[in-house]
């Protein structure tokens, strides 16, 4: 994204206090900010402003946020970050499975939100360009064409299943990939609920690439939701 262009954001959120808190703290000159307080207005604003990112609250007065997401996904790939309340794990999962790119849990800091926004924007613009066959982040390198993985320059031997899981996380680096998405992509339809199997394989990947569980370098567990490969 060119540095001269501010990030255009549409927020769809009925709580005025949250909109006000965000508006007051936005980095000056970096953001072009547009607010909607209900679903109907929000969808209209997204069509009108063609934003780089949409921030979407799930509990809206006129319609469920998940329905809004579904409607947006019929015509736009704009990155959508969900704003959820604590304890709404099922909603987060449904939103990510429904095509949301990420979520933040209320109350969140502006710094955290803007970091997620930047990742989403980078990812959104990357989708249009040619995918680099080499993934690099911190000390982790993956060659998608040769299916090889290195940590700090040493090659790591993964089973085919482990490799596919790690590659999927890398393809969505910085974003949460849900248990359901991983199971569906790697094991196929019908295995979406085999979370125990997934946990076993993730544990094994971690032993190979991320052996210190107290200080994970690459893979973060999003409890009850999925996993995120950190962007270094
Ligand atoms: Ca709300």
């Amino acid at each position: 994204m060119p540095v001269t262009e501010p990030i255009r954001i549409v927020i769809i959120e009925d709580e005025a206090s949250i909109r006000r808190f965000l508006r007051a703290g936005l980095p000056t000159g970096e953001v072009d900010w547009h607010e909607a307080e209900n679903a109907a207005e929000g969808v209209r604003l997204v069509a009108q402003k063609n934003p780089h990112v949409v921030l979407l609250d799930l509990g809206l007065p006129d319609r469920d946020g998940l329905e809004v997401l579904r409607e947006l996904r019929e015509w736009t790939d704009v990155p959508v970050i969900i704003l959820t309340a604590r304890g709404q794990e099922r909603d987060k999962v449904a939103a990510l499975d429904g095509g949301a790119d990420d979520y933040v849990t209320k109350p969140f800091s502006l710094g955290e939100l803007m970091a997620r926004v930047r990742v989403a924007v980078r990812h959104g613009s990357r989708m249009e360009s040619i995918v680099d066959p080499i993934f690099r982040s911190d000390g982790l390198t993956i060659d998608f064409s040769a299916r090889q993985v290195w940590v700090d320059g040493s090659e790591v031997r993964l089973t085919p299943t482990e490799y596919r899981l790690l590659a999927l996380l890398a393809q969505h680096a910085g974003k949460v990939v849900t248990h359901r998405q991983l199971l569906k992509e790697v094991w196929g339809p019908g295995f979406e609920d085999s979370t125990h199997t997934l946990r076993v394989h993730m544990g094994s990947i971690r032993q190979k690439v991320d052996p210190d569980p107290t200080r994970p370098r690459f893979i973060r567990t999003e409890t009850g939701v999925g996993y995120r490969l950190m962007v270094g």
Side-chain angles (χ1 to χ4, degrees):
M1 205 181 96
V3 282
T4 46
E5 193 182 4
I7 303 176
R8 200 159 45 254
I9 302 176
V10 166
I11 180 169
I12 310 174
E13 163 68 81
D14 59 317
E15 274 176 72
S17 59
I18 293 184
R19 297 199 311 267
R20 198 161 46 232
F21 153 73
L22 292 174
R23 194 193 315 133
L26 290 172
T28 325
E30 214 182 297
V31 172
D32 179 13
W33 182 252
H34 302 276
E35 298 180 5
E37 56 183 24
N38 58 53
E41 203 185 311
V43 172
R44 206 162 43 234
L45 207 54
V46 173
Q48 200 179 74
K49 300 293 177 189
N50 187 25
H52 299 105
V53 180
V54 174
L55 307 179
L56 176 62
D57 177 35
L58 289 184
L60 293 166
D62 53 337
R63 229 180 320 156
D64 190 276
L66 290 174
E67 268 178 51
V68 176
L69 176 64
R70 216 163 7 232
E71 190 181 325
L72 290 176
R73 280 294 170 258
E74 285 171 8
W75 55 271
T76 172
D77 289 329
V78 62
V80 174
I81 299 176
I82 299 293
L83 312 176
T84 69
R86 206 168 286 285
Q88 293 180 327
E89 253 68 33
R90 287 182 55 192
D91 285 349
K92 283 177 203 168
V93 173
L96 292 165
D97 284 337
D101 295 77
D102 204 350
Y103 66 86
V104 289
T105 306
K106 296 174 190 173
F108 49 81
S109 73
L110 192 66
E112 181 192 4
L113 178 70
M114 285 309 294
R116 297 285 171 80
V117 163
R118 288 188 195 99
V119 170
V121 170
R122 267 209 306 277
H123 194 262
S125 53
R126 200 162 54 217
M127 286 196 297
E128 294 150 25
S129 58
I130 296 162
V131 178
D132 189 341
I134 306 279
F135 169 87
R136 280 189 198 84
S137 179
D138 198 2
L140 179 68
T141 307
I142 302 173
D143 183 337
F144 293 123
S145 57
R147 301 169 75 89
Q148 282 175 305
V149 177
W150 295 268
V151 173
D152 299 329
S154 303
E155 191 177 350
V156 176
R157 297 275 175 196
L158 298 177
T159 67
T161 302
E162 290 165 1
Y163 172 80
R164 289 188 64 195
L165 285 169
L166 185 65
L168 261 174
L169 292 177
Q171 279 151 12
H172 299 87
K175 306 199 306 177
V176 188
V177 187
T178 64
H179 300 139
R180 200 181 168 79
Q181 287 170 321
L182 289 166
L183 285 161
K184 199 173 153 197
E185 290 287 330
V186 175
W187 280 272
F191 288 87
E192 289 93 338
D193 296 321
S194 311
T195 46
H196 176 71
T197 308
L198 176 61
R199 247 198 320 273
V200 171
H201 282 85
M202 289 305 300
S204 168
I205 295 173
R206 279 197 156 128
Q207 271 174 12
K208 295 177 182 179
V209 305
D210 224 353
D212 182 356
T214 59
R215 283 188 311 158
R217 286 173 66 192
F218 307 120
I219 301 168
R220 194 158 103 183
T221 302
E222 301 283 345
T223 308
V225 181
Y227 299 92
R228 183 197 298 270
L229 191 78
M230 312 295 279
V231 191

